[in-house]
Amino acid sequence: MTIFVLTGAGISAESGLGTFRDPGGLWRRFDPMRLATPEAFAREPEEVHAFYNLRRRGVREAEPNAAHAALARLEAGLAARGGRLFLCTQNVDDLHERAGSRAVVHMHGELMRARCTACGASRPSAEDLGLGTACPACGRRGGMRPDVVWFGEMPLHLEAIGDALDAADLFVAIGTSGAVYPAAGFVARARAAGIPTREINLAPSDTAGLFDTADYGPATRAVPDFVAEILGEGPVSGSRP
Ligand code: APR
């Protein structure tokens, strides 16, 4: 069985990392056009660095939660049964990896990596970035940026994502509002291919009407329940009968 799971900010919410569009969310407090576009970085690099340095520190201080751990169990459990989990995340945090997931496709890039705008080299970087940061590959300063996908830039790995989605036996969206394409269009593509679809979210998303089944509630309860159901482990303690 191949399951395609798409995750969004909601899966990291109970780890203390904010979402974007919920009340108090990041894009409710900050203007993404001033902080999350290549033009913003060219115009105000220090302001953009300060914003991402703050978010990077938040990720360093956060811990994976039971939902991240459940998806790591799902990956191992499916592989043990000759199946496959394709985990595609819109999130730029590293909580899936720190929970034990071994194959994570970050379609919006990774906050814990830095990329040089001069030579293109990308490397792990958990520390603050600034105009004084030198590229370890070419040595230039002033051009290091968070290796994330900004508005107006092309999401990553779209061909591999499309191939995996078309080959899936089940499509599951977890913790995403369905507000941003191309990720928000994955459910329609799955439906068009006759693939069953399931939404796991705190509340119905913008694309809720396109899902065959749904489980609404906090990810730290709903995702372990889902994984237990898939792996045949029966209901987890505290979940609904
Ligand atoms: N458990 C499950 N779902 C939750 C929880 C929770 N504890 N808390 C919030 N949610 C849900 C919300 O109901 C909402 O539908 O998570 C979703 C978060 O939606 P957004 O804030 O829009 O985040 P996301 O869907 O990941 O945004 C997509 O937009 O700005 C870009 O690059 C950014 O990757 C991001 C993309």
Side-chain angles (χ1 to χ4, degrees), residues 7-11 13-14 18-22 25 27 32 90-92 108 149 151 174-180 183 200-206 217-220:
T7 61
I11 199 169
E14 290 164 87
T19 59
F20 294 94
R21 295 171 183 82
D22 291 321
W27 298 150
Q90 300 172 91
N91 300 340
V92 294
H108 290 164
V149 176
F151 288 97
I174 300 174
T176 182
S177 61
V180 174
I200 297 176
N201 210 51
L202 191 61
S205 71
D206 296 356
T220 53

PDB file of all heavy atoms in Angstrom, residues 7-11 13-14 18-22 25 27 32 90-92 108 149 151 174-180 183 200-206 217-220, ligand 1:
ATOM      1  N   THR A   7       1.599  17.306   4.668  1.00  0.00           N
ATOM      2  CA  THR A   7       1.402  17.995   5.950  1.00  0.00           C
ATOM      3  C   THR A   7       1.588  19.503   5.784  1.00  0.00           C
ATOM      4  O   THR A   7       2.292  19.967   4.888  1.00  0.00           O
ATOM      5  CB  THR A   7       2.389  17.494   7.032  1.00  0.00           C
ATOM      6  OG1 THR A   7       3.730  17.742   6.631  1.00  0.00           O
ATOM      7  CG2 THR A   7       2.192  15.999   7.285  1.00  0.00           C
ATOM      8  N   GLY A   8       0.941  20.213   6.703  1.00  0.00           N
ATOM      9  CA  GLY A   8       1.045  21.669   6.753  1.00  0.00           C
ATOM     10  C   GLY A   8       1.311  22.107   8.186  1.00  0.00           C
ATOM     11  O   GLY A   8       1.535  21.291   9.081  1.00  0.00           O
ATOM     12  N   ALA A   9       1.277  23.418   8.376  1.00  0.00           N
ATOM     13  CA  ALA A   9       1.680  24.014   9.666  1.00  0.00           C
ATOM     14  C   ALA A   9       0.903  23.451  10.846  1.00  0.00           C
ATOM     15  O   ALA A   9       1.396  23.423  11.971  1.00  0.00           O
ATOM     16  CB  ALA A   9       1.513  25.531   9.592  1.00  0.00           C
ATOM     17  N   GLY A  10      -0.304  22.957  10.608  1.00  0.00           N
ATOM     18  CA  GLY A  10      -1.131  22.445  11.704  1.00  0.00           C
ATOM     19  C   GLY A  10      -0.516  21.263  12.412  1.00  0.00           C
ATOM     20  O   GLY A  10      -0.757  21.056  13.603  1.00  0.00           O
ATOM     21  N   ILE A  11       0.333  20.477  11.715  1.00  0.00           N
ATOM     22  CA  ILE A  11       0.921  19.315  12.387  1.00  0.00           C
ATOM     23  C   ILE A  11       1.997  19.754  13.384  1.00  0.00           C
ATOM     24  O   ILE A  11       2.302  19.031  14.325  1.00  0.00           O
ATOM     25  CB  ILE A  11       1.484  18.285  11.384  1.00  0.00           C
ATOM     26  CG1 ILE A  11       1.635  16.930  12.075  1.00  0.00           C
ATOM     27  CG2 ILE A  11       2.816  18.758  10.768  1.00  0.00           C
ATOM     28  CD1 ILE A  11       1.921  15.767  11.148  1.00  0.00           C
ATOM     29  N   ALA A  13       1.657  22.690  15.058  1.00  0.00           N
ATOM     30  CA  ALA A  13       1.053  23.691  15.961  1.00  0.00           C
ATOM     31  C   ALA A  13       1.215  23.276  17.422  1.00  0.00           C
ATOM     32  O   ALA A  13       1.564  24.094  18.277  1.00  0.00           O
ATOM     33  CB  ALA A  13      -0.428  23.870  15.613  1.00  0.00           C
ATOM     34  N   GLU A  14       1.011  21.994  17.726  1.00  0.00           N
ATOM     35  CA  GLU A  14       1.070  21.550  19.138  1.00  0.00           C
ATOM     36  C   GLU A  14       2.512  21.390  19.611  1.00  0.00           C
ATOM     37  O   GLU A  14       2.754  21.052  20.765  1.00  0.00           O
ATOM     38  CB  GLU A  14       0.275  20.250  19.290  1.00  0.00           C
ATOM     39  CG  GLU A  14      -1.236  20.493  19.128  1.00  0.00           C
ATOM     40  CD  GLU A  14      -2.014  19.234  18.896  1.00  0.00           C
ATOM     41  OE1 GLU A  14      -2.419  18.587  19.861  1.00  0.00           O
ATOM     42  OE2 GLU A  14      -2.196  18.893  17.694  1.00  0.00           O
ATOM     43  N   GLY A  18       3.879  28.387  15.306  1.00  0.00           N
ATOM     44  CA  GLY A  18       2.633  29.001  14.843  1.00  0.00           C
ATOM     45  C   GLY A  18       2.217  28.488  13.470  1.00  0.00           C
ATOM     46  O   GLY A  18       3.028  27.965  12.707  1.00  0.00           O
ATOM     47  N   THR A  19       0.918  28.608  13.210  1.00  0.00           N
ATOM     48  CA  THR A  19       0.467  28.367  11.838  1.00  0.00           C
ATOM     49  C   THR A  19       0.450  29.738  11.140  1.00  0.00           C
ATOM     50  O   THR A  19       0.956  30.720  11.693  1.00  0.00           O
ATOM     51  CB  THR A  19      -0.960  27.754  11.839  1.00  0.00           C
ATOM     52  OG1 THR A  19      -1.841  28.670  12.494  1.00  0.00           O
ATOM     53  CG2 THR A  19      -0.973  26.421  12.576  1.00  0.00           C
ATOM     54  N   PHE A  20      -0.081  29.778   9.949  1.00  0.00           N
ATOM     55  CA  PHE A  20      -0.006  31.018   9.168  1.00  0.00           C
ATOM     56  C   PHE A  20      -1.319  31.794   9.162  1.00  0.00           C
ATOM     57  O   PHE A  20      -1.306  33.034   9.248  1.00  0.00           O
ATOM     58  CB  PHE A  20       0.394  30.690   7.712  1.00  0.00           C
ATOM     59  CG  PHE A  20       1.782  30.149   7.592  1.00  0.00           C
ATOM     60  CD1 PHE A  20       2.027  28.780   7.581  1.00  0.00           C
ATOM     61  CD2 PHE A  20       2.874  31.018   7.531  1.00  0.00           C
ATOM     62  CE1 PHE A  20       3.307  28.282   7.487  1.00  0.00           C
ATOM     63  CE2 PHE A  20       4.170  30.528   7.434  1.00  0.00           C
ATOM     64  CZ  PHE A  20       4.385  29.155   7.415  1.00  0.00           C
ATOM     65  N   ARG A  21      -2.436  31.052   9.033  1.00  0.00           N
ATOM     66  CA  ARG A  21      -3.703  31.748   8.768  1.00  0.00           C
ATOM     67  C   ARG A  21      -4.722  31.618   9.886  1.00  0.00           C
ATOM     68  O   ARG A  21      -5.842  32.112   9.763  1.00  0.00           O
ATOM     69  CB  ARG A  21      -4.281  31.236   7.432  1.00  0.00           C
ATOM     70  CG  ARG A  21      -3.376  31.599   6.266  1.00  0.00           C
ATOM     71  CD  ARG A  21      -3.737  30.957   4.942  1.00  0.00           C
ATOM     72  NE  ARG A  21      -2.743  31.352   3.949  1.00  0.00           N
ATOM     73  CZ  ARG A  21      -1.563  30.750   3.811  1.00  0.00           C
ATOM     74  NH1 ARG A  21      -1.263  29.688   4.556  1.00  0.00           N
ATOM     75  NH2 ARG A  21      -0.672  31.165   2.936  1.00  0.00           N
ATOM     76  N   ASP A  22      -4.358  30.902  10.949  1.00  0.00           N
ATOM     77  CA  ASP A  22      -5.260  30.843  12.103  1.00  0.00           C
ATOM     78  C   ASP A  22      -5.209  32.185  12.827  1.00  0.00           C
ATOM     79  O   ASP A  22      -4.284  32.970  12.626  1.00  0.00           O
ATOM     80  CB  ASP A  22      -4.808  29.724  13.056  1.00  0.00           C
ATOM     81  CG  ASP A  22      -5.039  28.341  12.446  1.00  0.00           C
ATOM     82  OD1 ASP A  22      -6.080  28.166  11.784  1.00  0.00           O
ATOM     83  OD2 ASP A  22      -4.175  27.475  12.596  1.00  0.00           O
ATOM     84  N   GLY A  25      -1.986  33.816  13.709  1.00  0.00           N
ATOM     85  CA  GLY A  25      -1.020  33.159  12.828  1.00  0.00           C
ATOM     86  C   GLY A  25       0.009  34.130  12.262  1.00  0.00           C
ATOM     87  O   GLY A  25      -0.160  35.353  12.301  1.00  0.00           O
ATOM     88  N   TRP A  27       0.992  35.004   9.256  1.00  0.00           N
ATOM     89  CA  TRP A  27       0.589  35.983   8.227  1.00  0.00           C
ATOM     90  C   TRP A  27      -0.554  36.863   8.684  1.00  0.00           C
ATOM     91  O   TRP A  27      -1.021  37.726   7.957  1.00  0.00           O
ATOM     92  CB  TRP A  27       0.240  35.273   6.925  1.00  0.00           C
ATOM     93  CG  TRP A  27       1.339  34.491   6.271  1.00  0.00           C
ATOM     94  CD1 TRP A  27       1.192  33.381   5.500  1.00  0.00           C
ATOM     95  CD2 TRP A  27       2.771  34.719   6.331  1.00  0.00           C
ATOM     96  NE1 TRP A  27       2.391  32.907   5.063  1.00  0.00           N
ATOM     97  CE2 TRP A  27       3.388  33.708   5.560  1.00  0.00           C
ATOM     98  CE3 TRP A  27       3.573  35.666   6.938  1.00  0.00           C
ATOM     99  CZ2 TRP A  27       4.767  33.619   5.380  1.00  0.00           C
ATOM    100  CZ3 TRP A  27       4.953  35.594   6.770  1.00  0.00           C
ATOM    101  CH2 TRP A  27       5.533  34.585   6.017  1.00  0.00           C
ATOM    102  N   PRO A  32       3.528  38.881   4.596  1.00  0.00           N
ATOM    103  CA  PRO A  32       4.422  38.004   3.842  1.00  0.00           C
ATOM    104  C   PRO A  32       5.080  38.688   2.654  1.00  0.00           C
ATOM    105  O   PRO A  32       6.198  38.315   2.271  1.00  0.00           O
ATOM    106  CB  PRO A  32       3.508  36.863   3.385  1.00  0.00           C
ATOM    107  CG  PRO A  32       2.123  37.369   3.523  1.00  0.00           C
ATOM    108  CD  PRO A  32       2.140  38.384   4.607  1.00  0.00           C
ATOM    109  N   GLN A  90       4.691  20.883   3.503  1.00  0.00           N
ATOM    110  CA  GLN A  90       4.794  22.306   3.154  1.00  0.00           C
ATOM    111  C   GLN A  90       5.631  23.029   4.204  1.00  0.00           C
ATOM    112  O   GLN A  90       5.990  24.183   4.024  1.00  0.00           O
ATOM    113  CB  GLN A  90       3.408  22.946   3.080  1.00  0.00           C
ATOM    114  CG  GLN A  90       2.486  22.328   2.048  1.00  0.00           C
ATOM    115  CD  GLN A  90       1.090  22.872   2.174  1.00  0.00           C
ATOM    116  OE1 GLN A  90       0.716  23.866   1.534  1.00  0.00           O
ATOM    117  NE2 GLN A  90       0.279  22.242   3.006  1.00  0.00           N
ATOM    118  N   ASN A  91       5.886  22.339   5.323  1.00  0.00           N
ATOM    119  CA  ASN A  91       6.569  22.966   6.447  1.00  0.00           C
ATOM    120  C   ASN A  91       8.064  23.067   6.205  1.00  0.00           C
ATOM    121  O   ASN A  91       8.658  22.199   5.562  1.00  0.00           O
ATOM    122  CB  ASN A  91       6.301  22.167   7.740  1.00  0.00           C
ATOM    123  CG  ASN A  91       4.819  22.092   8.069  1.00  0.00           C
ATOM    124  OD1 ASN A  91       4.027  22.898   7.581  1.00  0.00           O
ATOM    125  ND2 ASN A  91       4.438  21.114   8.863  1.00  0.00           N
ATOM    126  N   VAL A  92       8.642  24.106   6.743  1.00  0.00           N
ATOM    127  CA  VAL A  92      10.093  24.311   6.597  1.00  0.00           C
ATOM    128  C   VAL A  92      10.820  23.924   7.880  1.00  0.00           C
ATOM    129  O   VAL A  92      12.039  24.002   7.957  1.00  0.00           O
ATOM    130  CB  VAL A  92      10.397  25.784   6.217  1.00  0.00           C
ATOM    131  CG1 VAL A  92       9.839  26.098   4.834  1.00  0.00           C
ATOM    132  CG2 VAL A  92       9.862  26.770   7.251  1.00  0.00           C
ATOM    133  N   HIS A 108       8.474  23.293   0.211  1.00  0.00           N
ATOM    134  CA  HIS A 108       8.707  24.731   0.420  1.00  0.00           C
ATOM    135  C   HIS A 108      10.081  25.001   1.005  1.00  0.00           C
ATOM    136  O   HIS A 108      10.328  26.071   1.558  1.00  0.00           O
ATOM    137  CB  HIS A 108       7.623  25.317   1.329  1.00  0.00           C
ATOM    138  CG  HIS A 108       6.279  25.390   0.648  1.00  0.00           C
ATOM    139  ND1 HIS A 108       5.108  25.576   1.348  1.00  0.00           N
ATOM    140  CD2 HIS A 108       5.923  25.266  -0.650  1.00  0.00           C
ATOM    141  CE1 HIS A 108       4.100  25.579   0.489  1.00  0.00           C
ATOM    142  NE2 HIS A 108       4.575  25.376  -0.730  1.00  0.00           N
ATOM    143  N   VAL A 149      11.274  28.325   0.104  1.00  0.00           N
ATOM    144  CA  VAL A 149      10.615  28.813  -1.114  1.00  0.00           C
ATOM    145  C   VAL A 149       9.756  30.010  -0.745  1.00  0.00           C
ATOM    146  O   VAL A 149       8.842  29.893   0.088  1.00  0.00           O
ATOM    147  CB  VAL A 149       9.740  27.701  -1.743  1.00  0.00           C
ATOM    148  CG1 VAL A 149       8.967  28.242  -2.947  1.00  0.00           C
ATOM    149  CG2 VAL A 149      10.608  26.513  -2.163  1.00  0.00           C
ATOM    150  N   PHE A 151       7.187  33.350  -1.671  1.00  0.00           N
ATOM    151  CA  PHE A 151       6.080  33.630  -2.594  1.00  0.00           C
ATOM    152  C   PHE A 151       6.659  34.125  -3.919  1.00  0.00           C
ATOM    153  O   PHE A 151       7.590  34.924  -3.934  1.00  0.00           O
ATOM    154  CB  PHE A 151       5.139  34.678  -1.991  1.00  0.00           C
ATOM    155  CG  PHE A 151       4.313  34.157  -0.854  1.00  0.00           C
ATOM    156  CD1 PHE A 151       4.697  34.362   0.459  1.00  0.00           C
ATOM    157  CD2 PHE A 151       3.173  33.407  -1.100  1.00  0.00           C
ATOM    158  CE1 PHE A 151       3.945  33.857   1.514  1.00  0.00           C
ATOM    159  CE2 PHE A 151       2.412  32.896  -0.053  1.00  0.00           C
ATOM    160  CZ  PHE A 151       2.810  33.117   1.258  1.00  0.00           C
ATOM    161  N   ILE A 174      -2.887  16.609   6.156  1.00  0.00           N
ATOM    162  CA  ILE A 174      -2.879  16.785   7.617  1.00  0.00           C
ATOM    163  C   ILE A 174      -2.439  18.211   7.958  1.00  0.00           C
ATOM    164  O   ILE A 174      -1.343  18.639   7.562  1.00  0.00           O
ATOM    165  CB  ILE A 174      -1.908  15.798   8.290  1.00  0.00           C
ATOM    166  CG1 ILE A 174      -2.300  14.336   8.005  1.00  0.00           C
ATOM    167  CG2 ILE A 174      -1.846  16.054   9.807  1.00  0.00           C
ATOM    168  CD1 ILE A 174      -1.310  13.306   8.513  1.00  0.00           C
ATOM    169  N   GLY A 175      -3.281  18.955   8.670  1.00  0.00           N
ATOM    170  CA  GLY A 175      -2.868  20.251   9.221  1.00  0.00           C
ATOM    171  C   GLY A 175      -2.599  21.317   8.182  1.00  0.00           C
ATOM    172  O   GLY A 175      -1.677  22.122   8.353  1.00  0.00           O
ATOM    173  N   THR A 176      -3.391  21.330   7.127  1.00  0.00           N
ATOM    174  CA  THR A 176      -3.204  22.384   6.118  1.00  0.00           C
ATOM    175  C   THR A 176      -4.554  22.978   5.729  1.00  0.00           C
ATOM    176  O   THR A 176      -5.566  22.301   5.684  1.00  0.00           O
ATOM    177  CB  THR A 176      -2.458  21.853   4.865  1.00  0.00           C
ATOM    178  OG1 THR A 176      -2.263  22.925   3.939  1.00  0.00           O
ATOM    179  CG2 THR A 176      -3.199  20.712   4.199  1.00  0.00           C
ATOM    180  N   SER A 177      -4.525  24.292   5.472  1.00  0.00           N
ATOM    181  CA  SER A 177      -5.774  25.022   5.221  1.00  0.00           C
ATOM    182  C   SER A 177      -6.262  24.867   3.789  1.00  0.00           C
ATOM    183  O   SER A 177      -7.365  25.265   3.453  1.00  0.00           O
ATOM    184  CB  SER A 177      -5.559  26.517   5.503  1.00  0.00           C
ATOM    185  OG  SER A 177      -4.551  27.015   4.625  1.00  0.00           O
ATOM    186  N   GLY A 178      -5.397  24.322   2.911  1.00  0.00           N
ATOM    187  CA  GLY A 178      -5.814  24.205   1.503  1.00  0.00           C
ATOM    188  C   GLY A 178      -5.909  25.573   0.845  1.00  0.00           C
ATOM    189  O   GLY A 178      -6.677  25.800  -0.080  1.00  0.00           O
ATOM    190  N   ALA A 179      -5.069  26.502   1.335  1.00  0.00           N
ATOM    191  CA  ALA A 179      -5.151  27.886   0.827  1.00  0.00           C
ATOM    192  C   ALA A 179      -4.096  28.188  -0.225  1.00  0.00           C
ATOM    193  O   ALA A 179      -4.201  29.165  -0.943  1.00  0.00           O
ATOM    194  CB  ALA A 179      -4.979  28.864   1.999  1.00  0.00           C
ATOM    195  N   VAL A 180      -3.035  27.364  -0.281  1.00  0.00           N
ATOM    196  CA  VAL A 180      -1.894  27.696  -1.141  1.00  0.00           C
ATOM    197  C   VAL A 180      -1.658  26.591  -2.159  1.00  0.00           C
ATOM    198  O   VAL A 180      -1.516  25.415  -1.796  1.00  0.00           O
ATOM    199  CB  VAL A 180      -0.628  27.946  -0.287  1.00  0.00           C
ATOM    200  CG1 VAL A 180       0.597  28.143  -1.165  1.00  0.00           C
ATOM    201  CG2 VAL A 180      -0.833  29.178   0.588  1.00  0.00           C
ATOM    202  N   ALA A 183       0.030  22.830  -3.560  1.00  0.00           N
ATOM    203  CA  ALA A 183      -0.333  21.795  -2.571  1.00  0.00           C
ATOM    204  C   ALA A 183      -1.850  21.670  -2.431  1.00  0.00           C
ATOM    205  O   ALA A 183      -2.389  20.567  -2.321  1.00  0.00           O
ATOM    206  CB  ALA A 183       0.303  22.114  -1.224  1.00  0.00           C
ATOM    207  N   ILE A 200      -7.251  15.280   7.684  1.00  0.00           N
ATOM    208  CA  ILE A 200      -7.084  15.259   9.146  1.00  0.00           C
ATOM    209  C   ILE A 200      -6.674  16.674   9.522  1.00  0.00           C
ATOM    210  O   ILE A 200      -5.601  17.156   9.117  1.00  0.00           O
ATOM    211  CB  ILE A 200      -6.012  14.246   9.574  1.00  0.00           C
ATOM    212  CG1 ILE A 200      -6.434  12.813   9.189  1.00  0.00           C
ATOM    213  CG2 ILE A 200      -5.768  14.334  11.093  1.00  0.00           C
ATOM    214  CD1 ILE A 200      -5.389  11.748   9.486  1.00  0.00           C
ATOM    215  N   ASN A 201      -7.532  17.364  10.237  1.00  0.00           N
ATOM    216  CA  ASN A 201      -7.306  18.786  10.476  1.00  0.00           C
ATOM    217  C   ASN A 201      -8.074  19.218  11.728  1.00  0.00           C
ATOM    218  O   ASN A 201      -9.008  18.524  12.167  1.00  0.00           O
ATOM    219  CB  ASN A 201      -7.770  19.594   9.249  1.00  0.00           C
ATOM    220  CG  ASN A 201      -6.982  20.869   9.068  1.00  0.00           C
ATOM    221  OD1 ASN A 201      -5.763  20.875   9.057  1.00  0.00           O
ATOM    222  ND2 ASN A 201      -7.701  21.987   8.964  1.00  0.00           N
ATOM    223  N   LEU A 202      -7.685  20.391  12.253  1.00  0.00           N
ATOM    224  CA  LEU A 202      -8.425  20.855  13.434  1.00  0.00           C
ATOM    225  C   LEU A 202      -9.843  21.231  13.052  1.00  0.00           C
ATOM    226  O   LEU A 202     -10.791  21.030  13.811  1.00  0.00           O
ATOM    227  CB  LEU A 202      -7.685  22.058  14.047  1.00  0.00           C
ATOM    228  CG  LEU A 202      -8.149  22.510  15.429  1.00  0.00           C
ATOM    229  CD1 LEU A 202      -7.950  21.378  16.440  1.00  0.00           C
ATOM    230  CD2 LEU A 202      -7.394  23.754  15.888  1.00  0.00           C
ATOM    231  N   ALA A 203      -9.957  21.779  11.835  1.00  0.00           N
ATOM    232  CA  ALA A 203     -11.281  22.224  11.358  1.00  0.00           C
ATOM    233  C   ALA A 203     -11.324  22.020   9.846  1.00  0.00           C
ATOM    234  O   ALA A 203     -10.273  21.891   9.208  1.00  0.00           O
ATOM    235  CB  ALA A 203     -11.457  23.699  11.697  1.00  0.00           C
ATOM    236  N   PRO A 204     -12.506  21.950   9.244  1.00  0.00           N
ATOM    237  CA  PRO A 204     -12.577  21.770   7.785  1.00  0.00           C
ATOM    238  C   PRO A 204     -11.753  22.837   7.047  1.00  0.00           C
ATOM    239  O   PRO A 204     -11.812  24.021   7.380  1.00  0.00           O
ATOM    240  CB  PRO A 204     -14.074  21.924   7.498  1.00  0.00           C
ATOM    241  CG  PRO A 204     -14.749  21.516   8.771  1.00  0.00           C
ATOM    242  CD  PRO A 204     -13.832  21.985   9.875  1.00  0.00           C
ATOM    243  N   SER A 205     -10.952  22.386   6.085  1.00  0.00           N
ATOM    244  CA  SER A 205     -10.096  23.308   5.323  1.00  0.00           C
ATOM    245  C   SER A 205     -10.877  23.929   4.169  1.00  0.00           C
ATOM    246  O   SER A 205     -12.048  23.609   3.951  1.00  0.00           O
ATOM    247  CB  SER A 205      -8.915  22.514   4.751  1.00  0.00           C
ATOM    248  OG  SER A 205      -9.418  21.672   3.710  1.00  0.00           O
ATOM    249  N   ASP A 206     -10.202  24.768   3.413  1.00  0.00           N
ATOM    250  CA  ASP A 206     -10.841  25.399   2.246  1.00  0.00           C
ATOM    251  C   ASP A 206     -11.241  24.353   1.203  1.00  0.00           C
ATOM    252  O   ASP A 206     -12.101  24.623   0.369  1.00  0.00           O
ATOM    253  CB  ASP A 206      -9.867  26.401   1.593  1.00  0.00           C
ATOM    254  CG  ASP A 206      -9.528  27.561   2.523  1.00  0.00           C
ATOM    255  OD1 ASP A 206     -10.112  27.621   3.634  1.00  0.00           O
ATOM    256  OD2 ASP A 206      -8.668  28.380   2.160  1.00  0.00           O
ATOM    257  N   GLY A 217      -9.921  17.355  14.564  1.00  0.00           N
ATOM    258  CA  GLY A 217      -9.458  17.398  15.947  1.00  0.00           C
ATOM    259  C   GLY A 217      -7.968  17.665  15.947  1.00  0.00           C
ATOM    260  O   GLY A 217      -7.341  17.741  14.890  1.00  0.00           O
ATOM    261  N   PRO A 218      -7.377  17.788  17.130  1.00  0.00           N
ATOM    262  CA  PRO A 218      -5.942  18.090  17.182  1.00  0.00           C
ATOM    263  C   PRO A 218      -5.112  16.956  16.589  1.00  0.00           C
ATOM    264  O   PRO A 218      -5.406  15.776  16.802  1.00  0.00           O
ATOM    265  CB  PRO A 218      -5.665  18.285  18.670  1.00  0.00           C
ATOM    266  CG  PRO A 218      -6.841  17.727  19.382  1.00  0.00           C
ATOM    267  CD  PRO A 218      -7.999  17.743  18.451  1.00  0.00           C
ATOM    268  N   ALA A 219      -4.075  17.317  15.873  1.00  0.00           N
ATOM    269  CA  ALA A 219      -3.255  16.319  15.164  1.00  0.00           C
ATOM    270  C   ALA A 219      -2.640  15.304  16.125  1.00  0.00           C
ATOM    271  O   ALA A 219      -2.490  14.125  15.781  1.00  0.00           O
ATOM    272  CB  ALA A 219      -2.147  17.031  14.387  1.00  0.00           C
ATOM    273  N   THR A 220      -2.346  15.729  17.353  1.00  0.00           N
ATOM    274  CA  THR A 220      -1.684  14.788  18.275  1.00  0.00           C
ATOM    275  C   THR A 220      -2.634  13.683  18.729  1.00  0.00           C
ATOM    276  O   THR A 220      -2.209  12.671  19.278  1.00  0.00           O
ATOM    277  CB  THR A 220      -1.161  15.531  19.530  1.00  0.00           C
ATOM    278  OG1 THR A 220      -2.235  16.277  20.100  1.00  0.00           O
ATOM    279  CG2 THR A 220       0.018  16.417  19.174  1.00  0.00           C
TER     280      THR A 220
HETATM  281  N1  APR B   1      -4.041  19.988  14.698  1.00  0.00           N
HETATM  282  C1  APR B   1      -4.442  19.852  13.407  1.00  0.00           C
HETATM  283  N2  APR B   1      -4.648  20.898  12.572  1.00  0.00           N
HETATM  284  C2  APR B   1      -4.402  22.126  13.063  1.00  0.00           C
HETATM  285  C3  APR B   1      -3.974  22.350  14.398  1.00  0.00           C
HETATM  286  C4  APR B   1      -3.793  21.204  15.221  1.00  0.00           C
HETATM  287  N3  APR B   1      -3.389  21.318  16.496  1.00  0.00           N
HETATM  288  N4  APR B   1      -3.848  23.691  14.580  1.00  0.00           N
HETATM  289  C5  APR B   1      -4.172  24.281  13.413  1.00  0.00           C
HETATM  290  N5  APR B   1      -4.524  23.347  12.501  1.00  0.00           N
HETATM  291  C6  APR B   1      -4.939  23.547  11.118  1.00  0.00           C
HETATM  292  C7  APR B   1      -5.788  24.787  10.907  1.00  0.00           C
HETATM  293  O1  APR B   1      -7.168  24.470  11.071  1.00  0.00           O
HETATM  294  C8  APR B   1      -5.458  25.161   9.456  1.00  0.00           C
HETATM  295  O2  APR B   1      -6.381  24.561   8.560  1.00  0.00           O
HETATM  296  O3  APR B   1      -3.768  23.739  10.357  1.00  0.00           O
HETATM  297  C9  APR B   1      -4.065  24.557   9.216  1.00  0.00           C
HETATM  298  C10 APR B   1      -2.982  25.595   9.069  1.00  0.00           C
HETATM  299  O4  APR B   1      -3.256  26.333   7.909  1.00  0.00           O
HETATM  300  P1  APR B   1      -2.212  27.462   7.459  1.00  0.00           P
HETATM  301  O5  APR B   1      -1.888  28.322   8.632  1.00  0.00           O
HETATM  302  O6  APR B   1      -2.755  28.087   6.230  1.00  0.00           O
HETATM  303  O7  APR B   1      -0.882  26.647   7.121  1.00  0.00           O
HETATM  304  P2  APR B   1      -0.575  25.817   5.805  1.00  0.00           P
HETATM  305  O8  APR B   1      -1.800  25.200   5.244  1.00  0.00           O
HETATM  306  O9  APR B   1       0.562  24.907   6.134  1.00  0.00           O
HETATM  307  O10 APR B   1      -0.049  26.950   4.794  1.00  0.00           O
HETATM  308  C11 APR B   1       0.412  26.504   3.538  1.00  0.00           C
HETATM  309  O11 APR B   1       1.201  28.729   3.047  1.00  0.00           O
HETATM  310  O12 APR B   1       2.250  30.729   3.497  1.00  0.00           O
HETATM  311  C12 APR B   1       2.411  29.471   2.987  1.00  0.00           C
HETATM  312  O13 APR B   1       4.528  28.524   2.907  1.00  0.00           O
HETATM  313  C13 APR B   1       3.441  28.700   3.745  1.00  0.00           C
HETATM  314  O14 APR B   1       3.632  26.299   3.771  1.00  0.00           O
HETATM  315  C14 APR B   1       2.744  27.369   4.052  1.00  0.00           C
HETATM  316  C15 APR B   1       1.565  27.376   3.107  1.00  0.00           C
END
